Amino acid sequence: MSATGDDKRQTATAASGRGRLIFLIPLLVFLALAGLFLAQLMSGRGISAVPSALIGQPAPQTELAPLEGMDLPGLESKDFIGKVTLLNVFASWCAPCREEHPVLLGLSQDNRYRLVALNYKDTAENARRFLGQLGNPYAAIGVDEAGRAAIDWGVYGVPETFLIGKDGRITYKHVGPLSPDAVRTLLLPEIDKALAAPG
């Protein structure tokens, strides 16, 4: 009788332990994912390393009207052929765009490539004010008021920067604001490769 009682107690204790383990599984999965995310951020790659299916592919067909009142051309796919192009996606309402703007002004001083912009879901007045206050680094600005072109480009959010080779193919994508360190260690080596590649 006592042996049977001991068996029942052991069975109940084992079942209780399994029940607690089932409740711990989601917590353990969450902690593992959080650890992976933290390791990614600490690696220095962070969100800027989000892969793009467009790398190595021709730049999406783009025909965007120019930003009114800026006396600059809009964006057209034909202009990507034969020269290295940096395409920056920005908006006046985007705080990180303001943060990266001095870096873009610096990049605009290098005449080995063309720096152009896709103005994302913005108003012409606000975009002009933004560039009037901070300076205009762009040789062309295409207006994507509805955000449809950004979808074609696979934009996650603003800012993002694409590097397009002389053959019209996307060679690099940077997600998030460009920093001086990211330009030096990530972007400029990619620009040098694109410049050295045959047209």
Side-chain angles (χ1 to χ4, degrees):
M1 177 107 179
S2 85
T4 305
D6 286 343
D7 288 344
K8 285 182 181 177
R9 266 187 248 112
Q10 286 176 349
T11 302
T13 302
S16 170
R18 280 193 301 271
R20 275 189 243 129
L21 183 60
I22 288 173
F23 286 114
L24 283 177
I25 290 173
L27 176 63
L28 293 173
V29 169
F30 171 78
L31 289 174
L33 290 173
L36 285 171
F37 182 70
L38 182 61
Q40 177 75 4
L41 287 177
M42 299 302 281
S43 74
R45 292 171 62 195
I47 195 167
S48 66
V50 173
S52 172
L54 295 179
I55 301 296
Q57 300 299 314
Q61 193 62 35
T62 305
E63 303 291 330
L64 293 176
L67 180 61
E68 291 175 19
M70 287 297 293
D71 198 28
L72 292 172
L75 284 183
E76 293 189 42
S77 296
K78 66 179 178 62
D79 295 332
F80 300 146
I81 304 297
K83 59 189 79 120
V84 174
T85 305
L86 269 179
L87 184 142
N88 178 251
V89 182
F90 86 100
S92 64
W93 46 262
C94 159
C97 296
R98 189 171 289 271
E99 176 188 324
E100 82 169 349
H101 207 76
V103 176
L104 294 172
L105 288 169
L107 285 168
S108 72
Q109 301 304 306
D110 191 334
N111 62 9
R112 298 177 301 157
Y113 52 82
R114 188 168 181 246
L115 177 58
V116 301
L118 185 153
N119 184 229
Y120 177 72
K121 290 189 175 182
D122 212 345
T123 67
E125 182 183 349
N126 288 343
R128 281 194 308 270
R129 186 180 304 119
F130 176 89
L131 295 170
Q133 290 171 352
L134 301 178
N136 176 31
Y138 306 117
I141 302 173
V143 175
D144 186 21
E145 197 172 350
R148 288 190 193 101
I151 291 170
D152 294 340
W153 282 83
V155 171
Y156 293 97
V158 286
E160 289 190 12
T161 303
F162 295 84
L163 179 62
I164 304 153
K166 292 177 271 189
D167 60 359
R169 293 178 179 272
I170 296 172
T171 63
Y172 176 75
K173 175 181 180 179
H174 185 89
V175 177
L178 286 166
S179 66
D181 185 57
V183 167
R184 188 180 73 255
T185 61
L186 300 172
L187 182 60
L188 286 178
E190 294 294 334
I191 288 173
D192 289 338
K193 278 196 271 185
L195 289 166

